[in-house]
Amino acid sequence: MLLRQLPPLKAILRGSLIERFKRCGRPGCKCARGIGHGPKVYLSVSMPKARPVMVYVPQEDRSQVEQFVANYRRTRQLLDEIAAINLELLRRREPID
């Protein structure tokens, strides 16, 4: 059953993980001549009718955030499958439950 495959809803994050290299701004720092400090990981979240948000993800939280983002994608996929099944049941005039 598809409902049993849903991840825990409290363990979901919408967005994408992005790695960035940042410059610190100190004139003598090696980052001024190279690619920068990093990589630093950010969660990029785009919502309808809102500006995209970038949230820094500490290295120790990266694996959990990756799992939460994967859970979000899996949930969306399962909900699409459930909706397709319910649509077909409606077309056949069969009970949706």
Side-chain angles (χ1 to χ4, degrees):
M1 179 180 232
L2 293 174
L3 291 176
R4 290 191 187 119
Q5 295 178 38
L6 285 170
L9 297 181
K10 66 180 182 179
I12 290 178
L13 268 173
R14 176 184 177 148
S16 300
L17 285 179
I18 297 172
E19 288 186 347
R20 297 186 70 191
F21 291 84
K22 306 279 276 185
R23 288 181 170 64
C24 68
R26 292 189 317 238
C29 185
K30 65 175 181 151
C31 73
R33 297 179 309 277
I35 62 172
H37 297 285
K40 304 288 185 187
V41 179
Y42 292 83
L43 178 70
S44 175
V45 182
S46 298
M47 299 292 250
K49 299 182 182 180
R51 298 187 71 167
V53 176
M54 298 275 281
V55 179
Y56 173 71
V57 178
Q59 192 62 35
E60 61 268 13
D61 296 335
R62 182 179 181 157
S63 63
Q64 182 182 35
V65 172
E66 285 174 339
Q67 184 60 56
F68 281 25
V69 168
N71 286 348
Y72 178 82
R73 290 190 183 115
R74 180 69 178 139
T75 299
R76 293 270 317 246
Q77 176 188 15
L78 290 168
L79 289 176
D80 286 346
E81 289 181 43
I82 291 167
I85 291 168
N86 287 340
L87 177 61
E88 185 58 31
L89 290 173
L90 184 63
R91 283 186 181 143
R92 293 180 185 183
R93 307 232 190 285
E94 295 181 24
I96 302 173
D97 42 55

